[in-house]
Amino acid sequence: QVQLVESGGKLAQPGGSLTLSCAASGVTFTRYTMAWFRQAPGKEREFVAAFSRRMGSTFYADSVKGRFTISGDNAKSTMTLQMKNLQPEDTAVYYCASSATVIMSQVRSQSAYAHWGQGTQVTVSS
């Protein structure tokens, strides 16, 4: 049974940094595609980043490319999202997601992911 638990969300200042973690049980990173999505107040959930060792690729939304880095540690069963140069528009609830069946063309689609965490709040404000 897959279980995903996010942590690390908090208040950060513009230009600051945060690292989010997703503790994953029942998942092997060699088989699963792991992703981060976020949902800002009043907006739809959107794709942030994903990695797939099975596909040998990482993926980023244009809005975070160059500022965010996704990585996974299979030995610790933990996925992280390092966020730098945070902006107020990065304020959102961040969700961890996983799927064993997503294909490359579906990586950015939330409907492709079967398992979700409960979310962690990131607020960027001075």
Side-chain angles (χ1 to χ4, degrees):
Q1 185 175 357
V2 176
Q3 186 174 14
L4 306 173
V5 180
E6 303 94 335
S7 61
K10 60 182 179 180
L11 176 65
Q13 291 195 340
S17 300
L18 275 180
T19 296
L20 304 183
S21 295
C22 173
S25 60
V27 169
T28 54
F29 291 164
T30 52
R31 287 189 56 227
Y32 280 74
T33 297
M34 304 295 297
W36 289 96
F37 286 77
R38 67 186 182 186
Q39 187 167 19
K43 294 187 177 180
E44 293 188 355
R45 192 175 299 185
E46 65 175 4
F47 171 78
V48 176
F51 80 88
S52 174
R53 296 217 174 102
R54 178 169 52 87
M55 290 186 267
S57 298
T58 55
F59 308 83
Y60 293 95
D62 288 343
S63 59
V64 307
K65 199 173 295 183
R67 300 189 299 122
F68 290 10
T69 302
I70 188 172
S71 62
D73 186 332
N74 200 56
K76 297 181 180 180
S77 296
T78 300
M79 174 176 67
T80 60
L81 184 68
Q82 294 179 298
M83 306 185 293
K84 298 180 180 180
N85 190 21
L86 285 163
Q87 301 300 313
E89 53 266 34
D90 294 318
T91 295
V93 177
Y94 284 71
Y95 296 91
C96 170
S98 70
S99 172
T101 60
V102 65
I103 60 176
M104 192 172 289
S105 62
Q106 299 172 328
V107 165
R108 293 173 171 80
S109 173
Q110 59 177 313
S111 63
Y113 294 86
H115 310 288
W116 293 83
Q118 82 291 345
T120 186
Q121 176 71 49
V122 172
T123 303
V124 183
S125 175
S126 55

